[in-house]
Structure formats: structure tokens, C-alpha cells
Amino acid sequence: MNITGQDLIRACSAIGAGLAVIAGIGPGIGQGIAAGYGASAVGRNPGAKGDIMSTMLLGQAVAETTGLYGLLVAMLLLFVKPLG
Amino acid sequence: MNITGQDLIRACSAIGAGLAVIAGIGPGIGQGIAAGYGASAVGRNPGAKGDIMSTMLLGQAVAETTGLYGLLVAMLLLFVKPLG
Amino acid sequence: MNITGQDLIRACSAIGAGLAVIAGIGPGIGQGIAAGYGASAVGRNPGAKGDIMSTMLLGQAVAETTGLYGLLVAMLLLFVKPLG
Amino acid sequence: MNITGQDLIRACSAIGAGLAVIAGIGPGIGQGIAAGYGASAVGRNPGAKGDIMSTMLLGQAVAETTGLYGLLVAMLLLFVKPLG
Amino acid sequence: MNITGQDLIRACSAIGAGLAVIAGIGPGIGQGIAAGYGASAVGRNPGAKGDIMSTMLLGQAVAETTGLYGLLVAMLLLFVKPLG
Amino acid sequence: MNITGQDLIRACSAIGAGLAVIAGIGPGIGQGIAAGYGASAVGRNPGAKGDIMSTMLLGQAVAETTGLYGLLVAMLLLFVKPLG
Amino acid sequence: MNITGQDLIRACSAIGAGLAVIAGIGPGIGQGIAAGYGASAVGRNPGAKGDIMSTMLLGQAVAETTGLYGLLVAMLLLFVKPLG
Amino acid sequence: MNITGQDLIRACSAIGAGLAVIAGIGPGIGQGIAAGYGASAVGRNPGAKGDIMSTMLLGQAVAETTGLYGLLVAMLLLFVKPLG
Amino acid sequence: MNITGQDLIRACSAIGAGLAVIAGIGPGIGQGIAAGYGASAVGRNPGAKGDIMSTMLLGQAVAETTGLYGLLVAMLLLFVKPLG
Amino acid sequence: MNITGQDLIRACSAIGAGLAVIAGIGPGIGQGIAAGYGASAVGRNPGAKGDIMSTMLLGQAVAETTGLYGLLVAMLLLFVKPLG
Amino acid sequence: MNITGQDLIRACSAIGAGLAVIAGIGPGIGQGIAAGYGASAVGRNPGAKGDIMSTMLLGQAVAETTGLYGLLVAMLLLFVKPLG
Amino acid sequence: MNITGQDLIRACSAIGAGLAVIAGIGPGIGQGIAAGYGASAVGRNPGAKGDIMSTMLLGQAVAETTGLYGLLVAMLLLFVKPLG
Amino acid sequence: MNITGQDLIRACSAIGAGLAVIAGIGPGIGQGIAAGYGASAVGRNPGAKGDIMSTMLLGQAVAETTGLYGLLVAMLLLFVKPLG
Amino acid sequence: MNITGQDLIRACSAIGAGLAVIAGIGPGIGQGIAAGYGASAVGRNPGAKGDIMSTMLLGQAVAETTGLYGLLVAMLLLFVKPLG
């Protein structure tokens, strides 16, 4: 087995990147629930569709952040660290 | 065992890619709940079908993003990194 | 043990492909809930069956995507990468 | 231990195939819930049985897909790859 | 330890077959819920027993499929592959 | 350690058989819920006891199948394969 | 370490037997829920105690089966296989 | 390390016995829920205390069985097999 | 490492005893729920305190059994088996 | 590594003791739910505070037992066995 | 590696102590639920604040015990055993 | 590898400290639920804000304790034991 | 294998960074629920949209913090420690 | 492999730091629920927005603490211990 330390780091980074984006399970469930509540609210009060949708989208945008953190860390593990 | 470091990286990338798309469990559950709430809301108020559906689809589109992150990282692990 | 690096990659790809399609648990639960809500909504308001069903199917189609990502990554792990 | 790389691939494929069909847990739960809601809806409104059942079956058919992906990947791991 | 590659494949196939039928947890829970809803619906409206039961059984039959996939893969792992 | 490949297969089959019957968790929970709903429905409408019970038992019988798959695979692992 | 293949099989059978009876978690939870619903139904309608109890017990008996499968496999692992 | 095969069997039996009684988690939760429903039913209808309690106890007795299976297997692993 | 087989058995027994009493999670949750329902029932109908409490305690006593099984197996692993 | 069998037993006992007290998760959740129901019941009917509290405490005391079993086994693993 | 048996015991004790305090998850969830129910009850009936709070605190104190067991075992693993 | 026993203890202490503070998941969920119930109660009865908030904070303070135990054990693992 | 200690630290840091951002599952679910409740509240009372949204965003901002802790630790593991 | 004990400690500290901040899952879920209840309460009673928000924020602040403990321990593992 002809493996250098740099190879080990990159192999572990590949596993770590896979783990990192699993964080997306959380926002995925949460934002889907938000979409369901939003659609349900529009069905009860179609006149407030604009207000409901902007509230839903704003709340979802905040929930998106932790998913983005996972993507960011995965990207850093794949592209930036092996150069470092 | 005649294994080079590059082989180890690609083997771990295959495992990592499999882990990464598991992130799709989250959006899958969430979007399904959204579809259920949407269909239920249309049943109660068919006249607002357009509004309900556009809200549901917009909310689902946001929830899709974290699933896409998982796909993106899996693709990078399979195609881009072994070349890097 | 006469194992080459290419063998290790393909063996790990088989495990990774198995992990990848597990992502289907999410859409499976979610779409089933959507089907239940849809059938329930049709029972309460049979006249809106077309609207309910189109909303349900559209929402389910979006939820399907993350399951397809898992299949796509599994396919790539099995067919494309060993050639790469 | 007289093990070739091809043997290792097929052994890991057997594990991977077992993991892949576990994806059926999701559709199994979801479709069962759909069946329960459908039967309950028919009990409340027997006259709409045809509409309820067609909606339920259509929704379940979509939910079935991710379970089929798991079966497909398991089949590929068992029959196609060892020949590849 | 006098172990051939064929032995390793069959040993891993035994583990894989055990994992594959675990997929039955999903349909088991889902179909049980369907049975409960069905019995409950018959209790509220005994006159629609035939309609409720046929809907329940049809829905359960669809949910059964992913459990059958698990059995199929387990059978293939035990009987077909070692001959292949 | 004087271990033949046949011994390894039978040892792994013992583990696999233990895993296979764990599939019974699903039907166990589901059928218990069905029993509870059934008893509850009889309490509300004792006159429909026959109809409720036959629906419950029929639904439970379907749910039993995936538990039987687990038993079947466990039996095959213990009795049929070591002879094969 | 003076360990024969037969010893390994029996050691793994002990682990497998322990795993097999864990399947009892499912029926344990389900039957307990059934007992609770049954007692609750008797409290609301004591006159139907006989009907409620017979429905509950019949439903529980079906749920018991998967727990028995676990016991059966455990017994086979402990007593029958080492002789085989 | 001076370890015989018999020692390995007894060591694995100790682990297996610990796993086996974990099955008691299921009946423990289920029976506790039954006790709660029973006490709640008595509070609503104290006159039916005898009927409620006998139903609760009978249902709990059935739920106890899978816990007893776990104890039985644990006992067999500790006392009967090492002699066998 | 100067380790005899007896030492290995006792070390594994210590792990097994720790696993065995984890079974207490089930009765702990269940009995706590029972206590909550009991207190709630007394609050609604203080006059039936004796009946509620005796039902609750009897139900909890049955739920206790599986926790006792875990303790029993742990005790046997610690005190009886090393002498055996 | 100069490790005797007695050292291995004590090291495994330390892990086992840590596992044993994890059983306290169950009573902790259950008793907390009981406390919440009790406080809620007192809020609805302050005049029955004594009866509610005594019922809650009695029920919690029973739920405490399995947590005590975990502590007892942990203590035995730490203090009694190394002397044995 | 110059590692004595005493070092191994202390290293495993560190892991065991970390596991032991994880038991605090249970009381943490339970007591938080109790606090929520208590605050909610005070909001509905502020006049009974003293009675509600004393009931809540008494119930929480009992729930605290299993968390304390975890702390106690962790302390013993860190301070008392290495001296023993 | 030039690793002393003291190094192994400190490395395991680092893992153990990470495990210990995971206990904070419990209080985090519980206290958040308490905060939600408290805010909801204030919204229904703003006049009792002081009473609700003091009850909520007192209850949360008790729930905090098990999180503090985790921190305490982590601190001891990091600072006190390596000196001991 | 030509691996230095610095390589091992960086490889473990990659795994640790992947674990750290998994903490984002919590805020992702929680904030999504908040978005759903917010959109639902706006649908019931559109006039209070500003107040609802500011409360929702403020609460979400607090929930974001633990996700940020995960990102912060991941960043430190990737960029700061290898220099330290 | 040229690895010193100090390297092992720092590598395990990196894993431990990643585990420690996972504690943030708890406060993340809890605080998000609190934000949802708060926004919902403001929607029902906008006049009490100040009182609701201050209660929500105070409760969330307490829930934040266990997330901070995780960050604190992670920081200590990364910066303070390697110097110690």
C-alpha cells in the first residue's frame, strides 16, 4: 500500500464532505413543513396570499442557512484544504 | 494488495457520495407533507387552487435546495476531485 | 489476497450505491402521506377530484426528485466511474 | 485466504444489495398510511369509492418508485456488475 | 483459516439477506395502521364494509410490494448468486 | 484458529438469521395498533363486532406477511443453505 | 487461541439469538397500546366488555406471532443448529 | 492470550444475554401506556373499575410474553448452553 | 497481554450487564406516562383517587417486570456466572 | 502493553457502568411528563392538590426503580466485582 | 506503545464518564416539558401559581434523580476508581 | 508510534468530553418547548406575564442542571484528571 | 504508509468538521417549523403581519446560533488548527 | 507512521470538538419551536407582542446555554488543551 499522508487527508475529506451535507436533512424537513402550512393557510385565506408567501419564504430563507453551512464546509473540504 | 493513494481517495469518495445523497431523506419527507397539505387545502377550497399550488411549489422549491446540495457534493466527489 | 486498487474502488462503489438509494425512504414516506391526504380530500369533496389529484401529483413529482438523485448517484457509481 | 478482487466486489455487492432494498421501509410506511386514509375516507363517503380509490392508487404508484429504485440497484449489483 | 473467495461471498450474502428482509418493518407498520383504520371505519359505517375492505386490501397490496422486493433480493442472494 | 469457509458461512448465517427476524418489529407494532383500534371500534358499536373483527383480522393477515418473510429467510439461512 | 470453527458458529449463534428476540420490542409496544385502548373502551361501554376483550385478545394473538418467530429462531440457533 | 473456544462461546453468550433482555423496552413502554389509559378510564367511570382493570391486566399479560421470551433466551444463554 | 479465558468472560459480562439494564428505559417512560395520566385523572375526579391509584399501581407493577428481568440478567452476569 | 486480565475486566466495567446509567433516560423523560401533567392538573383543580401530588409522587416512585437498577449495576461494576 | 493496565482503565473510565452523563438527555427533555406545562397552567389560572409551581418543582426534583445518578457514576469513574 | 499511557488517557478524555456535552440536547429541546409554551401562555393572558415567566424560568433552571452535569464532567476530563 | 502526525490531525479534522456542521439539523427543523407557524399565523391575521414576522425572525435568529457554532468549529478545524 | 502522543491527542480532540457542537441540535429544535409558538401567539394577540417576545427571548436565552457549553468544550479542545 503506497499511501501518503496527503492521500489520507483527501480520503477523509471525501467522507467528511459526505457527512457535512447530511445536515440538509434538517432544513429539508423544516422547509417542507413550512411549505405545507403555507399552502394550507393560502387555502383558508386566499386574499392574504402575498403576505403568507413572503412570510413563508423569509422564514425558509433563514432555515436554509444551516444547509448552506453544510455545503460550504463540504466545498472547503473538497477544494480548499487539499491546496492548503 | 496493490493499492495506491489515488485508489483510496476514489474508494472513499464513492462511500462519501452515497452518504451525501442520503440528505435527500429530509426534503423527501418535507415535500411530501407539503404535497399532502396542498391537496387537502385544494379539497377544502378548490377555487384557490392556483394560489395554493403556486405557494406549495414555491415552498417546495426552497426545500429542494438541500437535496441539490447533496447531489452536487456527490457529483463533485465522483467527477471533479479524482481529476484534481 | 490479490486485490487491486480498481477492485477496492468497485467494492466501495457497491456499498456506496446501496447507501445512496436509501435516500428513497424520505420520498417514500412523504409521497405516501400525500396520497393519504389526497384520498381523504377526495372523500370529503369528490367534485374537486381533478384539482386535488393534479395538486397531489405535482407536489409528489417535486418530492420524487431527491429519490431520483439517489438513483442517479447509484447508477454513476455502478456504470460510469469504473470506466473513468 | 485465497480471495481475488472479483470475489471482494461480489461480497460487497451482496451487502450493498441488502442495504439498497431497505429503502422499501419508506414506501411501505407511506403506502400503508395511504391505505388507511383511503379506507377511512370510503367509510365516511362510500359513494365516492371509485374516486377515492383511484386517487389513492395513483398516489401510491408514485410512492412506489423509490422502492423500485432500491430493487433496481440491488438487481444491478447482483446480476449486471459482476459481468461488467 | 482456509477460506476461499466463494465462501466469503456466501457469508456476506447471508448477512445481506438478513438486512434485505428488514425492509419488512415498513410495510408491517403501514399495513397494520391500514388494518386499524379499516376496522375503525367499519365500526362507524358497517354497511360499507365491502367497500372499505376492498379499498384497504388494495392499498395494502401496493404497500406489500416493497416487502416482497426485500424477500426477492434475499432469495436471490441465497439461491441464485452462489450458482452464478 | 482452525476455521473452514463452511464454518464462516454458518456463523454469518446465524447473525443474518437474527437480523432477519428483527423485521417482526414492524408487523408487531402495526398489528397491535390494529388490535387497539378494533377493540375501540367494538366498544363504540358492539353490534358490528363480526364485521369489525373480520376486517381487522384480514388486514392483520396482510401485515403478517413481511414478518413471515423474515422467518422464511431465517429458516433458509439455518437449514437449507448449509446443505447447498 | 485454540478455537475451532464449531466454536465460532456457536459464539455467533449466541449473538444472533440475542438479536432475534429483540424483535419482541414491536409486539410489546403494539400489544400494550391494544391493552390501553381496550381498557379505555371498556371504561366507556362496560356492557360490551366481552366483545371488546375478545376482539382485543384476538388482535393481540396475531401480533404475538412475530415475537414468537424471534423466539423460534433463537431456540433453533441455540439447540438445533449446533447438532446439525 | 490463553483463550479456548468454550471461553469465547461463554463471552459471546454474556453479550447476547444482555442484548436479549433489551427486548423488554417494548413491553415496558406498552404496558405503561396501558396502565395510564386504564387509570384514566377508571377516573372517568369508577363504577367499571373491575371490568377496566381485568381488561387492562389481561392485555398487559399478553404484552408481557415477548419480554419473557427475552428473559428465557438470556437464561438459556447463561445456564443451559455452556453445559450443552 | 496476560489474559485468560475467564478474564474475557468476566469482561464481556460487565459489558453485557450494562446493556441489560438499559432495558429499564422502556418501563421508565411507560410508568412515567402512567403516573401523568393517573395524576391527571385524580385532578378531574378526586373522589375516585383510591380506584385510580390502585389501577395505576397495578398496571405499573406489570410494566416493572421487564425492567426487573434486565436487573436479574445483569445480576446473574455479575455474580452467578463467574462461579459457574 | 503490560495489561493483565484484571485490568481488562476493570476497564470493561468502566464502560459497562457508563452504559448502565444511561437507563436513566427513560425515567427522566417519563417522570418529567408526569410532573407536567401533575402541574397542569393542579392548575385546573387546585383544591385536589394533595391528591394529585400524592398520586404523581407514588407513580414517579415506581418509575424511579429502573433508574435505580441502572445505578445499582453501575455501583456493583465499580466496587464489588473487582474485589470478587 | 508504553501503556500499563492502569492507563487503560483510566482511558476507558474517561469514555465511560462521558457516556454516563448522557443520561441527562432524559431529565432534560422531561423537566423542560414540565416547565412548559407549568407555565401554561399558571397562564390559565394565575391564582394557583403557588400550588402549580410546588407541584412542578416536586415532580422535577424526582425526575432529576436519574441525571444525578449519571453524574455520580461519572464522578466515581474519574476520582474514586483510579485510587481503588 | 511513540505513545505513552498518559497520552492515551488524554486522547480518550477528549472524546469523552465531546460525548459528555451531547447531554445538552435534552435540556435544549425541553427548555425550548418551555419557552414556546410560556410565550403562548403570555399571549393568552398577558396580565399574568410575571407569574408565567417566573414559573417558566424556575422550571427551566431545574432542567438546566443535567446540561451543567455534562459541562462539569467535560471540564473535569479536560483539566483535572490529566493532573491527577 | 508514509503518514506523519500532522497528516493524521488534518485527516481527523476533516471528519470532525463534517460532524460539526451536522448540528445544523436542529436549527433547520426548528426554523422551518417557525416559518410554518408564522405563515399560518399571517393567514389567520394578515393585519399583524409585521409583528408576526419580526417575532418569527427574532426567534429564528436565536435558533440560528447553534448552527453557527457548528460552522465556527468546522472552520477552526479546517483553517486555524493546522497552523497552530 | 511517525505519530507522537501529542498528535494523537490533537487528532482525538478534533473528533471530540465535532461531537461536542452536535449538542446544538437540541437548542436548535427547541428554540425554533419557541419561535413558532411566539409568532403564533403574536398573530392571535398582537397587542401583547412586547410581552410575548420578551418571554420568548428570555426562555430561548436559557435554552441557548447548553449549546454554548458545546461550543465552549469544543474551543477548549482546540485551543487550550494542546498547550496544557
Side-chain angles (χ1 to χ4, degrees):
Chain A
M1 296 176 67
N2 182 20
I3 298 174
T4 66
Q6 189 66 26
D7 293 330
L8 182 69
I9 297 174
R10 288 182 60 186
C12 285
S13 294
I15 301 288
L19 287 174
V21 288
I22 287 181
I25 289 178
I29 296 179
Q31 290 169 337
I33 293 174
Y37 274 64
S40 192
V42 167
R44 280 193 304 264
N45 187 359
K49 187 196 161 188
D51 289 338
I52 293 170
M53 206 183 264
S54 61
T55 307
M56 181 190 80
L57 286 176
L58 196 56
Q60 281 184 322
V62 179
E64 185 70 19
T65 48
T66 55
L68 278 165
Y69 298 165
L71 180 63
L72 175 59
V73 169
M75 287 295 173
L76 289 173
L77 281 166
L78 293 183
F79 291 109
V80 177
K81 284 318 289 175
L83 309 175
Chain B
M1 297 176 67
N2 182 19
I3 298 174
T4 66
Q6 189 65 27
D7 293 330
L8 182 68
I9 296 173
R10 288 182 60 185
C12 285
S13 294
I15 300 287
L19 287 174
V21 288
I22 287 182
I25 289 178
I29 296 179
Q31 290 170 337
I33 293 175
Y37 274 64
S40 192
V42 167
R44 279 192 305 265
N45 187 359
K49 187 195 161 189
D51 290 338
I52 294 169
M53 206 184 264
S54 61
T55 308
M56 182 190 79
L57 286 175
L58 196 56
Q60 281 184 322
V62 180
E64 186 71 19
T65 48
T66 55
L68 278 165
Y69 298 165
L71 179 63
L72 174 59
V73 169
M75 287 295 173
L76 289 173
L77 282 166
L78 293 183
F79 292 109
V80 177
K81 284 317 289 175
L83 309 176
Chain C
M1 297 176 67
N2 182 19
I3 298 174
T4 67
Q6 189 65 26
D7 294 329
L8 182 69
I9 297 174
R10 288 183 60 186
C12 285
S13 294
I15 301 287
L19 287 175
V21 288
I22 287 181
I25 289 178
I29 295 179
Q31 290 169 338
I33 293 174
Y37 274 64
S40 192
V42 168
R44 278 193 305 264
N45 188 359
K49 187 195 161 189
D51 289 338
I52 293 169
M53 207 184 262
S54 61
T55 307
M56 181 189 80
L57 286 176
L58 196 56
Q60 282 184 322
V62 179
E64 185 71 19
T65 48
T66 55
L68 277 165
Y69 299 165
L71 179 62
L72 174 59
V73 169
M75 287 295 173
L76 289 173
L77 282 167
L78 293 183
F79 292 108
V80 177
K81 284 318 289 175
L83 310 175
Chain D
M1 297 175 67
N2 181 19
I3 299 174
T4 65
Q6 190 65 27
D7 293 330
L8 182 69
I9 297 174
R10 288 183 58 186
C12 286
S13 293
I15 301 287
L19 288 174
V21 289
I22 287 181
I25 289 178
I29 295 179
Q31 290 169 338
I33 293 174
Y37 274 63
S40 191
V42 167
R44 278 193 305 265
N45 187 359
K49 187 195 161 189
D51 289 338
I52 293 169
M53 207 184 263
S54 61
T55 308
M56 182 190 80
L57 286 176
L58 196 56
Q60 282 183 322
V62 180
E64 186 70 19
T65 49
T66 55
L68 278 165
Y69 298 164
L71 179 63
L72 174 60
V73 169
M75 288 295 174
L76 289 173
L77 282 167
L78 293 183
F79 291 109
V80 177
K81 284 317 291 175
L83 310 175
Chain E
M1 295 175 68
N2 181 20
I3 298 175
T4 66
Q6 190 65 28
D7 293 329
L8 182 69
I9 296 174
R10 288 183 59 186
C12 286
S13 293
I15 301 287
L19 287 174
V21 289
I22 287 181
I25 289 178
I29 295 179
Q31 290 169 338
I33 293 174
Y37 274 64
S40 191
V42 168
R44 279 194 303 265
N45 187 358
K49 187 194 161 189
D51 289 338
I52 293 169
M53 207 184 263
S54 61
T55 307
M56 182 189 80
L57 286 176
L58 196 57
Q60 281 184 323
V62 180
E64 186 70 19
T65 49
T66 55
L68 278 165
Y69 298 164
L71 180 62
L72 174 60
V73 169
M75 287 295 174
L76 290 173
L77 281 166
L78 293 183
F79 291 109
V80 177
K81 285 316 291 176
L83 310 175
Chain F
M1 296 175 67
N2 181 20
I3 298 174
T4 67
Q6 190 64 28
D7 293 329
L8 182 69
I9 297 173
R10 289 183 60 186
C12 287
S13 294
I15 301 288
L19 287 174
V21 289
I22 288 181
I25 290 178
I29 295 179
Q31 291 169 338
I33 293 174
Y37 274 64
S40 192
V42 168
R44 278 194 303 266
N45 187 359
K49 187 195 162 188
D51 289 338
I52 294 169
M53 208 185 262
S54 61
T55 308
M56 182 189 80
L57 286 176
L58 196 56
Q60 281 183 323
V62 180
E64 186 71 19
T65 49
T66 54
L68 277 165
Y69 298 164
L71 179 62
L72 174 59
V73 169
M75 288 293 174
L76 290 173
L77 282 166
L78 293 183
F79 291 109
V80 177
K81 285 316 291 176
L83 310 175
Chain G
M1 296 176 68
N2 181 20
I3 298 175
T4 66
Q6 190 65 28
D7 292 329
L8 182 69
I9 296 173
R10 289 183 60 186
C12 286
S13 294
I15 301 287
L19 287 174
V21 289
I22 287 181
I25 289 178
I29 295 179
Q31 290 169 339
I33 293 174
Y37 274 63
S40 192
V42 168
R44 279 193 303 265
N45 187 359
K49 187 196 161 187
D51 290 337
I52 293 169
M53 207 184 263
S54 60
T55 308
M56 182 189 80
L57 286 176
L58 195 56
Q60 281 183 323
V62 179
E64 186 71 19
T65 49
T66 54
L68 277 165
Y69 298 164
L71 180 62
L72 175 58
V73 169
M75 287 295 174
L76 289 173
L77 281 167
L78 293 182
F79 291 110
V80 177
K81 284 317 289 176
L83 309 175
Chain H
M1 296 176 68
N2 181 20
I3 297 175
T4 66
Q6 190 65 28
D7 293 330
L8 182 68
I9 297 173
R10 288 183 60 186
C12 285
S13 294
I15 301 288
L19 288 174
V21 289
I22 287 181
I25 289 178
I29 296 179
Q31 290 169 338
I33 292 174
Y37 275 63
S40 191
V42 168
R44 279 193 304 263
N45 187 359
K49 187 195 162 189
D51 290 338
I52 293 169
M53 207 184 263
S54 61
T55 307
M56 182 189 81
L57 286 176
L58 195 56
Q60 281 183 321
V62 179
E64 186 71 20
T65 49
T66 55
L68 277 165
Y69 299 164
L71 180 62
L72 175 58
V73 169
M75 287 295 174
L76 289 173
L77 281 167
L78 293 182
F79 291 110
V80 176
K81 284 318 288 177
L83 309 175
Chain I
M1 295 175 69
N2 182 19
I3 298 175
T4 66
Q6 190 64 27
D7 293 330
L8 182 68
I9 297 174
R10 288 183 60 185
C12 285
S13 294
I15 300 287
L19 287 175
V21 288
I22 287 181
I25 289 178
I29 295 179
Q31 289 170 338
I33 292 174
Y37 274 63
S40 191
V42 168
R44 279 192 303 265
N45 188 358
K49 188 196 161 187
D51 289 337
I52 293 169
M53 207 184 264
S54 61
T55 307
M56 182 189 80
L57 286 176
L58 196 56
Q60 282 183 322
V62 180
E64 186 70 19
T65 49
T66 55
L68 277 165
Y69 298 164
L71 179 62
L72 174 59
V73 169
M75 288 294 174
L76 289 173
L77 281 167
L78 293 183
F79 291 110
V80 177
K81 285 318 290 176
L83 309 175
Chain J
M1 295 175 69
N2 182 19
I3 298 175
T4 66
Q6 190 64 28
D7 293 330
L8 182 68
I9 297 174
R10 288 183 60 185
C12 286
S13 294
I15 300 287
L19 287 174
V21 288
I22 287 181
I25 289 178
I29 295 179
Q31 290 169 339
I33 293 174
Y37 275 63
S40 192
V42 168
R44 279 193 304 264
N45 188 359
K49 188 196 160 187
D51 289 338
I52 293 169
M53 207 184 262
S54 61
T55 307
M56 182 189 79
L57 286 176
L58 196 55
Q60 282 184 322
V62 179
E64 186 71 18
T65 48
T66 56
L68 277 165
Y69 298 165
L71 180 62
L72 175 58
V73 169
M75 288 296 173
L76 289 173
L77 281 167
L78 294 182
F79 292 110
V80 177
K81 284 318 291 177
L83 309 175
Chain K
M1 295 175 69
N2 182 20
I3 298 175
T4 66
Q6 190 64 28
D7 293 329
L8 182 69
I9 297 174
R10 288 183 59 185
C12 286
S13 294
I15 301 287
L19 288 174
V21 288
I22 287 181
I25 289 178
I29 295 179
Q31 290 169 338
I33 293 174
Y37 274 63
S40 192
V42 167
R44 280 193 304 265
N45 188 358
K49 188 196 161 187
D51 289 337
I52 293 169
M53 206 184 264
S54 61
T55 307
M56 182 190 79
L57 286 175
L58 195 56
Q60 281 183 323
V62 179
E64 185 72 17
T65 48
T66 55
L68 278 165
Y69 298 165
L71 180 63
L72 175 59
V73 169
M75 287 296 174
L76 289 173
L77 281 166
L78 293 182
F79 292 110
V80 177
K81 284 318 290 176
L83 310 175
Chain L
M1 295 175 69
N2 182 20
I3 298 175
T4 66
Q6 190 64 27
D7 293 329
L8 182 69
I9 297 174
R10 288 182 60 185
C12 286
S13 293
I15 301 288
L19 288 174
V21 288
I22 287 181
I25 290 178
I29 295 179
Q31 289 169 338
I33 293 174
Y37 274 63
S40 191
V42 167
R44 280 194 303 266
N45 188 358
K49 187 195 161 187
D51 289 338
I52 293 169
M53 206 184 263
S54 60
T55 307
M56 182 189 79
L57 286 175
L58 195 56
Q60 281 183 321
V62 179
E64 186 71 19
T65 48
T66 55
L68 277 166
Y69 298 165
L71 180 63
L72 174 59
V73 169
M75 287 296 174
L76 290 172
L77 281 166
L78 293 182
F79 291 110
V80 177
K81 285 318 290 177
L83 310 175
Chain M
M1 295 176 67
N2 181 20
I3 298 174
T4 66
Q6 190 65 27
D7 293 330
L8 182 69
I9 297 174
R10 288 182 60 186
C12 286
S13 294
I15 301 287
L19 288 174
V21 288
I22 288 181
I25 289 178
I29 296 179
Q31 290 169 337
I33 293 174
Y37 274 64
S40 192
V42 168
R44 279 194 304 264
N45 188 358
K49 187 196 161 188
D51 289 338
I52 293 170
M53 207 184 264
S54 61
T55 308
M56 181 189 80
L57 286 176
L58 195 56
Q60 281 183 322
V62 179
E64 185 71 19
T65 48
T66 54
L68 278 165
Y69 298 165
L71 180 63
L72 174 59
V73 169
M75 287 295 173
L76 290 173
L77 282 167
L78 293 183
F79 291 110
V80 177
K81 285 318 290 176
L83 310 175
Chain N
M1 295 176 68
N2 181 20
I3 298 175
T4 66
Q6 190 65 26
D7 293 330
L8 182 69
I9 296 174
R10 288 182 60 186
C12 286
S13 294
I15 301 287
L19 288 174
V21 288
I22 287 181
I25 289 178
I29 296 179
Q31 290 169 338
I33 293 174
Y37 275 63
S40 192
V42 168
R44 280 194 304 265
N45 188 358
K49 187 195 161 188
D51 289 338
I52 293 169
M53 206 185 264
S54 61
T55 307
M56 182 189 80
L57 286 176
L58 195 56
Q60 281 183 322
V62 179
E64 185 71 19
T65 48
T66 55
L68 278 166
Y69 298 165
L71 180 62
L72 174 59
V73 169
M75 287 295 174
L76 289 173
L77 282 167
L78 293 183
F79 291 110
V80 177
K81 285 317 291 176
L83 310 175

